[in-house]
Amino acid sequence: MAIIYVLIPIAILFVFVAIGVFIWAVKSDQFDDLERHGTSVLFDDDEPKSKQAAPPKSPNNPPNDKP
Amino acid sequence: MTDSRCFHCHEAIPDNTDLTVDILGQPRHMCCLGCHAVAESIVEAGLTDYYKHRSDVADKIEGELVPTALREQFEQLDLDVVQDEFCTVEVDSKEALLSLDGVRCAACAWLIEKHLSRQAGVVRATVNSSTHRLLLRWDSSTTKLSALLLSLANLGYQALPYDQDAEDSSFLKQKKNYLIRIGLSALASMQVMMFAVALYFGVLDMEPHQQAYLRWVSLLMATPVILYAALPFYFSAATSIKAGHPNMDVPVSLALILAFTASAYATWQHTGEVYFESISMFTFFLLLGRYAELVARHKANARAANAVKLLPAVVHRVSSESVETVPVKQLVVGDLLLLKPGETLAVDGDIEKGNSHVDLSVLTGEHAPIAKGPSDPVFAGTINLDQPLYVRVTEIRDTMVASIVRLQEQALASRSRPVVFADKVARYFIVALLVVAALTATFWWHYQPEHALWVTLAVLVATCPCALSLATPTAITSGITRLGASGVIAKTADVLENLATIDRVAFDKTGTLTHGQLQLTEVHLFGDKLKSIPPLAVAAALESHANHPLAEAIIRKATTEQLIWSTAQNLQAVAGFGITGFVDGKQYFLGSRSYIAKQLNLANDVPSHRVLLASEHEAIAGFDLDDTIKNDAHTLITKLHEQGIQTAVISGDQTSHTEQLASSLNIQVAAGACSPKDKQSWVAARQAEGERVLMIGDGINDSPVLAQSNASIAIATGTDIAKRSADAVLVGERLTPIVTAINIAKHTRRIIRQNLAWALGYNLVVLPLAVSGMLPPYIAVVGMSASSLIVVVNAMRIERLKS
């Protein structure tokens, strides 16, 4: 069981690193708007979008982004 | 599947409306021109992803997308003197924090950011979807703020600078602080729990030096929790003791500090028990509860602050050479101002030149136009309706409106706050706790002195009112969230406690029970002589340039009926009486009964209607106008009566009008012709009789009574001062959320009682075990954690309450 004298200090070191990272995340405003960024990955970037919007809107050829 | 509903706002589509927009490859039906215009501009900008990912429907767009008044406000925001008040300037760009109306979900935030970032001159746009605020940085040399705001308004979102209070900015700091404390105590508890499990279950075959080692590392992990994470409880306890009303944090702090000190001593001396895991877990649970409460309260506060718009207070000052636009701050008594039609006066003054109709709703709550002429006094808040007025400034600071606000502040200051039930419990609890702990210590001291410290400690830990102190805040947090979901934004936590015990609901009339604007209710035709053009179209043509509530009502009706009217020629108006002009080559007269009688030389046979339309020879049509009652007002009153709550209407309007409205809605008591002071004393008189009154109002004249009542709700479309003095703000057109709010408040009170009963019951059950020295530390932890969780889960039931 002597191993606990090595492993526990390492575990504690990890915890302190985790706390440090968490504090950094809070201080850099990453918890300000939790509703928002959960869904932001769903939205396409506007690059391909604006290409689709650019050609004249032919009524029979809507952008192929049906749900 | 939603074919009969508007694709944009999901409202029912009225008959004979045929508006469609191609969205996501299919034609979608729209309910009105407003929604149609918004949907089209979203599609044109290639932002249809909004419809794919939104989780809530958009607001219905009523009337014009960008009313002229709003456009003018936007333009005033471009003035440098005005921008200085809410913008921060950097080298070549300006930054402003704006509040947004109409944001419903994350998709709205995305839509706004994408749309703005494509506009020329926008450096950065960030939307916070929980507080509904927009941080906008733009290059002031390439674009104007008004242009950006206008383009947002075309998407259906209204952004305006708002009145940010100091509380708001300190909140962000506090929130981050709490998050760090929670993170620290969570990670530390996990570690300490691991060591604790090893200590409990490995204790038989563990060598003493290993046990001591595990205790030492537990002490190491628990120290930052007790020294940093738990600080808010110590401060709160100290403040409450200083104020002479000890709250729940006193026993919490006592248990935390004593348990930590004794455990550290046990580690040091290799005796007794250690409670490091209990300490860390308590702190974590308690912090979570506090944090949830803080966030819910702030969210409500932020929304309420958004409602109070910071509008530019600029006026047109007339000097010998020219008319210049200056901020109100630069005015002095004696200045001459030009008040254009449609503008609101910012100061008190006397009319120097000009005749016009004004809207005095700020003082009376009524929007009916009143004629004013030279040497008549006019007050701040007066809206000029039809002709330009020159006003000599008599008072800038101590205006009529300021005196109403003062009345409101006095009422607010003298209002007694109910003692929070949980604090009452806390007071008895602390005394009982200290007595029991003292008795236990004395008994064990005589019986087995070596166990006295540890048994007393077990009593303190077991009775640490963790669940008890979570019982109320978690329930109130859920209650506030549930209120927000039903359309009532709470500004104070007290509102839930107060709403639950209401005996009477008092309403303002105009703007609260009614729409607050005149509507054309009926058109009477005399004979059928006008087949070619409908009379309404003729009336609209004559009134198309007028700036008057009656004219607006006629034009609004003509627009909704989708009539087309030609331009009238040779218009001649007699202010306050009527107007004449040529439409399609024929002369028509439109005006009051006396005006028509005089113009046509008719004696007595003029039909009696509010507004008449006549040709050169005879009266053609009569228009009835009225301020109509909101659709669900009747349902609301019926539901309130069903619950045994009495009703009343207190209005600044004439007594006869008020009584008529009361009888048509079955409202039990009506009081008319009330000044702001009368309204306040009416409620005060009821309160003296022992009634608890909920006031619903919208005007500046309602603000003193809103502050006087036991609970108050302001209508979101009302004035800022009313919204500031009320406990809660009702969003949207519907009134029935008021009943829902009362139900939620009652439900919340029930849940609080259940929670307190459970938490107290648990403490009472474990107390004998602890006193008799039969409670091992891990049972104390498990029991306490389970009890806290049950309380939290019970509180969350409020959010699922059906309306």
Side-chain angles (χ1 to χ4, degrees), chain B residues 665-722:
Chain B
L665 281 175
N666 280 332
I667 294 177
Q668 288 148 335
V669 185
C674 290
S675 70
K677 179 90 189 138
D678 291 343
K679 288 191 177 195
Q680 189 193 350
S681 25
W682 190 92
V683 167
R686 295 289 149 148
Q687 285 171 329
E689 287 167 22
E691 276 187 14
R692 299 178 50 81
V693 184
L694 164 66
M695 177 75 202
I696 324 273
D698 71 319
I700 292 178
N701 63 327
D702 296 322
S703 60
V705 68
L706 286 171
Q708 171 76 37
S709 311
N710 300 80
S712 50
I713 301 179
I715 308 285
T717 49
T719 53
D720 292 345
I721 297 175

Coordinates of all heavy atoms in Angstrom, one line a residue, chain B residues 665-722:
Chain B
L665 N -67.8 44.1 -17.3 CA -66.9 43.0 -16.9 C -67.2 42.3 -15.6 O -66.5 41.4 -15.2 CB -65.4 43.6 -16.9 CG -64.7 43.8 -18.2 CD1 -63.4 44.5 -17.9 CD2 -64.5 42.6 -19.0
N666 N -68.3 42.7 -15.0 CA -68.7 42.2 -13.7 C -67.7 42.5 -12.6 O -67.5 41.7 -11.6 CB -68.8 40.7 -13.7 CG -70.1 40.3 -14.3 OD1 -71.1 41.0 -14.2 ND2 -70.2 39.1 -15.0
I667 N -67.0 43.6 -12.7 CA -66.0 44.0 -11.7 C -66.8 44.5 -10.5 O -67.7 45.3 -10.7 CB -65.0 45.0 -12.2 CG1 -64.1 44.3 -13.2 CG2 -64.1 45.5 -11.1 CD1 -63.1 45.1 -13.9
Q668 N -66.4 44.1 -9.3 CA -67.3 44.4 -8.1 C -67.3 45.9 -7.7 O -68.3 46.4 -7.3 CB -66.9 43.5 -6.9 CG -67.3 42.1 -7.2 CD -66.3 41.1 -6.5 OE1 -65.2 41.4 -6.3 NE2 -66.8 39.9 -6.2
V669 N -66.2 46.5 -7.7 CA -66.1 47.9 -7.3 C -65.5 48.8 -8.3 O -64.5 48.4 -9.0 CB -65.2 48.0 -6.0 CG1 -65.3 49.5 -5.4 CG2 -65.7 47.1 -4.9
A670 N -66.0 50.0 -8.5 CA -65.4 50.9 -9.5 C -65.2 52.3 -8.8 O -66.1 52.8 -8.1 CB -66.4 51.1 -10.7
A671 N -64.1 52.9 -9.1 CA -63.8 54.2 -8.6 C -63.2 55.0 -9.8 O -62.2 54.6 -10.3 CB -62.8 54.2 -7.4
G672 N -63.9 56.1 -10.1 CA -63.5 56.9 -11.3 C -63.0 58.2 -10.9 O -63.0 58.6 -9.7
A673 N -62.5 59.0 -11.8 CA -62.0 60.4 -11.6 C -61.0 60.4 -10.5 O -61.0 61.3 -9.7 CB -63.1 61.3 -11.4
C674 N -60.0 59.5 -10.5 CA -59.0 59.4 -9.4 C -57.7 60.1 -9.8 O -57.2 59.8 -10.9 CB -58.7 58.0 -9.0 SG -60.1 57.2 -8.2
S675 N -57.2 60.9 -9.0 CA -55.8 61.4 -9.3 C -54.9 60.4 -8.8 O -55.3 59.4 -8.1 CB -55.6 62.7 -8.5 OG -55.6 62.4 -7.1
P676 N -53.6 60.5 -9.1 CA -52.6 59.5 -8.7 C -52.7 59.3 -7.1 O -52.6 58.2 -6.6 CB -51.3 60.1 -9.1 CG -51.6 60.9 -10.3 CD -52.9 61.4 -10.1
K677 N -52.9 60.5 -6.4 CA -52.9 60.4 -5.0 C -54.2 59.7 -4.5 O -54.2 58.9 -3.5 CB -52.9 61.9 -4.5 CG -53.0 62.0 -3.0 CD -51.6 62.0 -2.3 CE -51.8 62.0 -0.8 NZ -50.8 61.1 -0.2
D678 N -55.3 60.0 -5.2 CA -56.6 59.3 -4.9 C -56.5 57.8 -5.0 O -57.0 57.1 -4.1 CB -57.7 59.8 -5.8 CG -58.1 61.2 -5.6 OD1 -57.8 61.7 -4.5 OD2 -58.7 61.8 -6.5
K679 N -55.8 57.3 -6.1 CA -55.7 55.9 -6.3 C -54.9 55.3 -5.1 O -55.3 54.3 -4.6 CB -54.9 55.7 -7.6 CG -55.6 55.9 -8.8 CD -54.9 55.4 -10.0 CE -55.6 55.6 -11.3 NZ -55.2 54.8 -12.4
Q680 N -53.9 56.0 -4.7 CA -53.0 55.5 -3.6 C -53.8 55.4 -2.3 O -53.8 54.4 -1.6 CB -51.8 56.4 -3.5 CG -50.8 55.8 -2.5 CD -49.8 56.9 -2.1 OE1 -49.7 57.9 -2.7 NE2 -48.9 56.5 -1.2
S681 N -54.6 56.5 -2.0 CA -55.4 56.5 -0.8 C -56.5 55.5 -0.8 O -56.9 54.9 0.2 CB -55.8 57.9 -0.4 OG -56.0 58.7 -1.5
W682 N -57.0 55.2 -2.0 CA -58.1 54.2 -2.1 C -57.6 52.8 -1.7 O -58.2 52.1 -0.9 CB -58.6 54.1 -3.6 CG -59.8 53.3 -3.8 CD1 -61.1 53.8 -3.8 CD2 -59.9 51.9 -4.0 NE1 -62.0 52.7 -4.0 CE2 -61.3 51.6 -4.1 CE3 -59.0 50.9 -4.2 CZ2 -61.7 50.3 -4.4 CZ3 -59.4 49.6 -4.4 CH2 -60.8 49.3 -4.5
V683 N -56.4 52.5 -2.2 CA -55.8 51.2 -1.8 C -55.4 51.2 -0.3 O -55.6 50.2 0.4 CB -54.6 50.9 -2.7 CG1 -53.8 49.7 -2.2 CG2 -55.0 50.6 -4.1
A684 N -54.9 52.3 0.1 CA -54.5 52.4 1.5 C -55.7 52.2 2.4 O -55.6 51.5 3.5 CB -53.8 53.8 1.8
A685 N -56.9 52.7 2.0 CA -58.1 52.6 2.8 C -58.5 51.1 2.9 O -58.9 50.6 3.9 CB -59.2 53.4 2.2
R686 N -58.4 50.4 1.7 CA -58.7 49.0 1.7 C -57.7 48.2 2.6 O -58.1 47.3 3.3 CB -58.6 48.4 0.3 CG -59.6 49.0 -0.6 CD -60.9 48.4 -0.3 NE -61.9 49.4 -0.6 CZ -63.1 49.1 -1.0 NH1 -63.5 47.9 -1.1 NH2 -64.0 50.1 -1.3
Q687 N -56.4 48.6 2.6 CA -55.4 47.9 3.4 C -55.7 48.1 4.8 O -55.5 47.2 5.7 CB -54.0 48.4 3.0 CG -53.6 47.8 1.7 CD -52.3 48.5 1.2 OE1 -52.0 49.7 1.5 NE2 -51.4 47.8 0.5
A688 N -56.2 49.3 5.2 CA -56.5 49.6 6.6 C -57.7 48.7 7.1 O -57.8 48.3 8.2 CB -56.9 51.1 6.8
E689 N -58.6 48.3 6.1 CA -59.6 47.3 6.5 C -59.1 45.9 6.5 O -59.9 45.0 6.7 CB -60.7 47.4 5.4 CG -61.6 48.7 5.5 CD -62.5 48.9 4.3 OE1 -62.7 47.8 3.6 OE2 -62.8 50.0 4.0
G690 N -57.9 45.7 6.3 CA -57.3 44.4 6.4 C -57.2 43.6 5.1 O -56.8 42.4 5.1
E691 N -57.5 44.2 4.0 CA -57.4 43.5 2.7 C -56.0 43.6 2.2 O -55.2 44.5 2.5 CB -58.3 44.2 1.7 CG -59.7 43.7 1.7 CD -60.5 44.3 0.6 OE1 -59.9 44.9 -0.4 OE2 -61.8 44.2 0.7
R692 N -55.6 42.6 1.4 CA -54.3 42.6 0.8 C -54.6 42.7 -0.7 O -55.3 42.0 -1.3 CB -53.6 41.3 1.1 CG -53.3 41.2 2.6 CD -52.6 39.9 2.9 NE -51.4 39.7 2.1 CZ -50.2 40.3 2.3 NH1 -50.1 41.1 3.3 NH2 -49.2 40.0 1.5
V693 N -54.0 43.8 -1.3 CA -54.4 44.2 -2.6 C -53.2 44.0 -3.6 O -52.1 44.3 -3.4 CB -54.8 45.7 -2.6 CG1 -55.3 46.1 -4.0 CG2 -55.8 46.0 -1.6
L694 N -53.6 43.4 -4.8 CA -52.7 43.4 -5.9 C -53.1 44.4 -6.9 O -54.3 44.4 -7.3 CB -52.8 42.0 -6.6 CG -52.2 41.8 -8.0 CD1 -50.7 42.0 -7.9 CD2 -52.5 40.5 -8.5
M695 N -52.2 45.3 -7.3 CA -52.6 46.4 -8.3 C -52.0 46.1 -9.6 O -50.8 45.7 -9.7 CB -52.1 47.7 -7.7 CG -52.3 48.9 -8.6 SD -54.1 49.4 -8.6 CE -54.2 50.2 -10.2
I696 N -52.8 46.2 -10.7 CA -52.3 46.1 -12.0 C -52.4 47.4 -12.7 O -53.5 48.0 -12.7 CB -53.1 45.0 -12.8 CG1 -53.5 43.9 -12.0 CG2 -52.3 44.6 -14.1 CD1 -52.6 42.8 -11.9
G697 N -51.3 48.0 -13.3 CA -51.4 49.3 -13.9 C -50.3 49.5 -14.9 O -49.5 48.6 -15.1
D698 N -50.4 50.6 -15.6 CA -49.5 50.8 -16.7 C -48.9 52.3 -16.8 O -47.9 52.5 -17.3 CB -50.1 50.5 -18.1 CG -51.1 51.5 -18.5 OD1 -51.9 51.9 -17.6 OD2 -51.2 51.9 -19.6
G699 N -49.6 53.2 -16.2 CA -49.3 54.6 -16.4 C -48.4 55.2 -15.3 O -48.2 54.6 -14.3
I700 N -47.8 56.4 -15.6 CA -47.1 57.1 -14.6 C -48.0 57.4 -13.4 O -47.6 57.4 -12.2 CB -46.5 58.4 -15.2 CG1 -45.4 58.0 -16.2 CG2 -45.9 59.3 -14.1 CD1 -44.8 59.2 -16.8
N701 N -49.3 57.7 -13.8 CA -50.2 58.0 -12.7 C -50.5 56.8 -11.8 O -51.1 57.0 -10.7 CB -51.5 58.6 -13.3 CG -52.2 57.6 -14.2 OD1 -51.6 56.8 -14.8 ND2 -53.5 57.7 -14.2
D702 N -50.2 55.6 -12.3 CA -50.4 54.4 -11.4 C -49.2 54.1 -10.5 O -49.3 53.3 -9.6 CB -50.6 53.2 -12.3 CG -51.9 53.3 -13.2 OD1 -52.9 53.8 -12.7 OD2 -51.8 52.9 -14.3
S703 N -48.1 54.8 -10.7 CA -46.9 54.4 -10.0 C -47.0 54.5 -8.5 O -46.6 53.6 -7.8 CB -45.7 55.1 -10.6 OG -45.8 56.5 -10.4
P704 N -47.6 55.6 -7.9 CA -47.8 55.6 -6.5 C -48.6 54.4 -5.9 O -48.2 53.8 -5.0 CB -48.4 56.9 -6.2 CG -48.2 57.8 -7.4 CD -48.1 56.9 -8.5
V705 N -49.7 54.1 -6.7 CA -50.6 53.1 -6.2 C -49.9 51.7 -6.3 O -50.1 50.8 -5.5 CB -52.0 53.1 -6.8 CG1 -51.9 52.8 -8.3 CG2 -52.9 52.2 -6.1
L706 N -49.1 51.5 -7.4 CA -48.4 50.3 -7.6 C -47.4 50.1 -6.4 O -47.2 49.0 -5.9 CB -47.6 50.3 -8.9 CG -48.4 50.2 -10.2 CD1 -47.5 50.4 -11.4 CD2 -49.0 48.8 -10.2
A707 N -46.8 51.2 -5.9 CA -45.9 51.1 -4.8 C -46.6 50.8 -3.5 O -46.1 50.2 -2.6 CB -45.0 52.3 -4.8
Q708 N -47.8 51.4 -3.4 CA -48.6 51.3 -2.2 C -49.1 49.8 -1.9 O -49.2 49.4 -0.8 CB -49.7 52.3 -2.2 CG -50.7 52.1 -1.1 CD -50.2 52.7 0.2 OE1 -49.5 53.7 0.2 NE2 -50.5 52.0 1.3
S709 N -49.5 49.1 -3.0 CA -50.2 47.9 -2.9 C -49.3 46.8 -2.3 O -48.0 46.9 -2.3 CB -50.6 47.4 -4.3 OG -51.3 48.4 -4.9
N710 N -49.9 45.7 -1.8 CA -49.1 44.6 -1.3 C -48.3 43.9 -2.3 O -47.2 43.5 -2.1 CB -50.1 43.6 -0.6 CG -50.9 44.2 0.5 OD1 -51.9 44.9 0.2 ND2 -50.5 44.1 1.7
A711 N -48.9 43.8 -3.5 CA -48.1 43.3 -4.7 C -48.6 44.1 -5.9 O -49.7 44.6 -5.9 CB -48.4 41.8 -4.9
S712 N -47.7 44.2 -6.9 CA -48.1 45.0 -8.0 C -47.5 44.4 -9.3 O -46.4 43.9 -9.3 CB -47.7 46.5 -7.9 OG -46.4 46.5 -7.5
I713 N -48.3 44.5 -10.4 CA -47.8 44.1 -11.7 C -48.0 45.2 -12.7 O -49.1 45.8 -12.7 CB -48.5 42.8 -12.2 CG1 -48.4 41.7 -11.1 CG2 -48.1 42.4 -13.5 CD1 -49.1 40.4 -11.5
A714 N -46.9 45.5 -13.4 CA -47.1 46.6 -14.4 C -47.2 45.9 -15.8 O -46.7 44.8 -16.0 CB -45.9 47.5 -14.4
I715 N -47.9 46.6 -16.7 CA -48.0 46.0 -18.1 C -46.8 46.4 -18.9 O -46.3 47.6 -18.8 CB -49.3 46.7 -18.8 CG1 -50.5 46.5 -17.9 CG2 -49.5 46.1 -20.1 CD1 -51.1 45.1 -17.8
A716 N -46.2 45.5 -19.6 CA -44.9 45.7 -20.3 C -45.0 46.9 -21.3 O -44.0 47.6 -21.5 CB -44.5 44.5 -21.0
T717 N -46.2 47.2 -21.9 CA -46.3 48.3 -22.8 C -46.4 49.6 -22.1 O -46.5 50.6 -22.7 CB -47.4 48.1 -23.8 OG1 -48.6 47.7 -23.0 CG2 -47.2 46.9 -24.8
G718 N -46.5 49.6 -20.8 CA -46.8 50.8 -20.0 C -45.5 51.6 -19.9 O -44.5 51.4 -20.6
T719 N -45.6 52.6 -19.0 CA -44.5 53.6 -18.9 C -43.4 53.0 -18.0 O -43.6 52.1 -17.2 CB -45.0 54.8 -18.2 OG1 -45.6 54.5 -17.0 CG2 -46.0 55.6 -19.1
D720 N -42.2 53.5 -18.2 CA -41.0 53.0 -17.4 C -41.2 53.2 -15.9 O -40.8 52.3 -15.2 CB -39.8 53.8 -17.9 CG -39.4 53.4 -19.3 OD1 -39.9 52.4 -19.8 OD2 -38.6 54.2 -19.9
I721 N -41.8 54.3 -15.5 CA -41.9 54.6 -14.1 C -42.8 53.5 -13.4 O -42.5 53.0 -12.4 CB -42.4 56.0 -13.8 CG1 -41.4 57.0 -14.4 CG2 -42.6 56.3 -12.4 CD1 -41.8 58.4 -14.3
A722 N -43.9 53.2 -14.2 CA -44.8 52.1 -13.6 C -44.0 50.8 -13.5 O -44.1 50.1 -12.5 CB -46.0 52.0 -14.5

